[in-house]
Structures are given as C-alpha cells and as structure tokens.
Amino acid sequence: MIWMALVLFYGILKGSREFVKKEAMRKNSVMEVIVAYTVLSFIFVIPQAPQAMGMESRFYFWIAIKSFAIFLAWIFGFYSLTKLPVSLFGILDLSRVLFSTFTGVFFLHEILKLNQIAGLAIVCTGLMLLKFKPDFLKKLFKIEEEEKISENGKNKTTLYVIFALLCCMLNAISGFLDKVLMKDISSAQLQFWYMLFLTAYYLLFVLISRTKIHFSVVKNWWIWLLAFLFVIGDKALFIANGMADSRITIMTLIKQSSAITAILGGRFIYKEKNTAYRFFCAAVIIAGIILGLK
C-alpha cells in the first residue's frame, strides 16, 4: 500500500538524518546547525503557504505546543548526538514507543491490554540491556569496551543518554499531537505552521541568548541536505497519516526501520564497535513493539 511505502521512506530518511547531523556538526556548532537547518526547512515549505490558510484559531495553539516540544527535543537530541555513537542513539530512539504509549494512557485514557504491558516490559528489557550487559551476552557477542564520554574529568555518558531519552519523550508528544491534528487539518497546514512556529522559537532563542551564527553555515552543504531530508520525510509521514486506510499500529512498527538504518550507518560509516549486540538489543525492543501492537 502507498501509505506503508511512505512510512518506510520516512523511517529510512529519519535514520539517515542522524549521520548527516553528525557530519554537519563537524563544521559548525550545535546551535548554528539547528538554527540554519530550521530556517532552511521553513524556506522549503513556504510554497505550501497558500494551501495552509483557513485553519480554525484553536489549531494554531496546538501546533505552537507541538513546535515547542520539537524546539526542546532538537536541542537535547543534537547535543546528545555529538557525543553518542549513531547506532546507540538510533536504538535509544526506539524508546519513543514507551512515551507514545504513556501519552495515550494519560491523555486519551486508553486502557493497556495484557499483551501491551508485556510488550512494554520487553521494550524496557531491550533498553536496559544497552546499559547492563550480562556476562554470557558479553562472551556471545564478543563485546569490546567502549570509551566513556568524559568532560573535565567526569563521566558524562549517562547525561547524554538522558538527553537522548528526553528528545524521544518530546518527539512522542509531538507525534501524539500529529495524530490528533491530522484528523481536522491538512498536511500542508500542519507542516507550514509547525515550521513557522519552530523557526520563530529558534530565532527568539538566538536573540535572547546572543548566540552567534556564522556565515559559514551557508557553505555547510550537510545542513542543506539535512533540511531537504527532513522536509520530504515529514511530508511523506503527514500524507500517510492523512490516508483513510492507514493504521497507526503498523505505522509505528514500520517507523522502526530508522533504527536499523542508524545501526548500519554506524557500522559502515563510522566503524562503530558492538553493532551486532546493538542489533540484538534493537531486535528485543522491536519484538516488544510487535507484541504490544497485536
């Protein structure tokens, strides 16, 4: 089906964006990349402006909330990605399903079935295995010791993992709002106003914090590529969300292709260690997701 292909396309692009972000931040600071990336993305969606008009006033408020969630998510996510391996970041992103479930329970008062509780337990197990590796798994996968993230003599690995999880939580809130908003507005309306609010937030942040944005960002072609991948990926997902026969449960599963893309990229582009073990952890998490979706 077309909507499945669109969601798979989104997942592959999402995983690929993690490498592009990392390369972009080799040439410019985190905030320079985020601001330039956001402004360029907004420029790319400006042609949709004529189709974006005519919304009811209440939707502007909720889109502004969604944009603020992404405003914070990107700051946490980009900073964590500068330090964490791409493959690890990609697996941590799978935790988004936990936060998505929690938003459904708390905001929509959904009742968790037994299989969903079991699935969430398996997802948590897969995430815990990333940190706590049993001796028999260390031997089975021949796990190598990885260098810890240290700053000023202190181990900061846990801090950046927390940043990645906060990014996932905020992205889950944004995804929840997508589901609600796409029932009443078009993909063009959501994407245009979402990017307009997001651009305004970052420009306001730059003015208040007096963050310097150097002209070199214009020459950083990784940022241009990042903005292009983001816009077309989100457009594909919004269109899929708006199709009558699309199913959220299947979409959730297909989106996990982003983690596979990130792990493969980490192995072949950055020569990261322990990718076989990370595939195992990802498989455990995805098995939990499948169980929860039945």
Side-chain angles (χ1 to χ4, degrees):
M1 293 184 180
I2 295 176
W3 65 267
M4 288 185 181
L6 288 170
V7 177
L8 179 61
F9 180 63
Y10 164 83
I12 293 171
L13 290 188
K14 183 177 180 297
S16 302
R17 288 204 310 262
E18 310 308 338
F19 328 132
V20 180
K21 290 175 187 176
K22 214 166 182 73
E23 292 303 315
M25 290 185 289
R26 291 183 189 275
K27 297 185 177 182
N28 291 98
S29 70
V30 171
M31 287 310 303
E32 284 181 319
V33 171
I34 291 178
V35 172
Y37 164 43
T38 306
V39 171
L40 279 174
S41 298
F42 175 62
I43 291 172
F44 287 158
V45 302
I46 286 178
Q48 298 185 63
Q51 292 81 42
M53 302 301 140
M55 282 196 314
E56 293 180 30
S57 57
R58 61 191 173 99
F59 294 123
Y60 293 103
F61 171 77
W62 290 112
I63 294 176
I65 295 297
K66 167 191 165 61
S67 298
F68 188 70
I70 293 297
F71 163 75
L72 295 175
W74 284 4
I75 292 175
F76 285 125
F78 275 70
Y79 272 106
S80 63
L81 191 57
T82 60
K83 303 294 183 179
L84 297 177
V86 171
S87 55
L88 176 58
F89 186 88
I91 298 174
L92 289 172
D93 191 60
L94 293 176
S95 66
R96 196 181 300 192
V97 70
L98 290 174
F99 300 116
S100 296
T101 302
F102 293 149
T103 56
V105 171
F106 289 121
F107 297 112
L108 298 179
H109 307 293
E110 296 177 355
I111 304 299
L112 291 179
K113 299 178 182 177
L114 186 59
N115 66 298
Q116 292 173 314
I117 294 172
L120 290 176
I122 294 173
V123 170
C124 290
T125 300
L127 291 169
M128 292 295 288
L129 286 172
L130 288 170
K131 175 66 176 175
F132 304 103
K133 305 174 182 68
D135 290 337
F136 77 95
L137 288 179
K138 287 182 179 179
K139 293 178 181 178
L140 179 63
F141 289 98
K142 299 178 181 179
I143 295 175
E144 301 177 48
E145 285 295 324
E146 294 184 289
E147 187 177 343
K148 294 181 179 179
I149 302 166
S150 298
E151 295 175 9
N152 300 320
K154 296 181 180 179
N155 180 14
K156 297 283 188 175
T157 303
T158 302
L159 174 65
Y160 288 105
V161 168
I162 291 172
F163 279 2
L165 292 174
L166 285 171
C167 172
C168 294
M169 180 186 71
L170 291 162
N171 272 311
I173 292 172
S174 170
F176 166 76
L177 289 171
D178 285 345
K179 295 175 189 177
V180 175
L181 290 166
M182 283 301 296
K183 294 177 181 177
D184 300 293
I185 64 176
S186 69
S187 61
Q189 289 173 321
L190 178 57
Q191 193 167 35
F192 175 80
W193 291 105
Y194 151 54
M195 289 308 307
L196 176 61
F197 281 122
L198 191 60
T199 301
Y201 289 146
Y202 281 121
L203 292 180
L204 188 61
F205 177 85
V206 167
L207 290 173
I208 294 173
S209 65
R210 297 182 180 179
T211 301
K212 292 184 178 180
I213 306 296
H214 297 94
F215 185 74
S216 60
V217 294
V218 177
K219 300 178 182 178
N220 188 341
W221 293 107
W222 290 107
I223 298 176
W224 289 80
L225 177 59
L226 186 60
F228 178 71
L229 294 177
F230 169 66
V231 170
I232 61 174
D234 264 21
K235 185 66 174 178
L237 184 62
F238 292 153
I239 291 173
N241 268 314
M243 290 184 171
D245 59 341
S246 64
R247 293 174 57 189
I248 295 299
T249 52
I250 296 177
M251 289 175 69
T252 300
L253 184 58
I254 297 175
K255 285 179 187 178
Q256 311 320 314
S257 57
S258 63
I260 307 302
T261 306
I263 296 172
L264 289 173
R267 176 67 182 90
F268 293 109
I269 297 176
Y270 296 110
K271 311 300 180 185
E272 293 175 357
K273 301 176 182 178
N274 303 324
T275 49
Y277 181 71
R278 286 177 183 155
F279 264 121
F280 168 73
C281 293
V284 171
I285 295 169
I286 292 173
I289 294 171
I290 293 172
L291 178 60
L293 294 177
K294 285 185 177 180

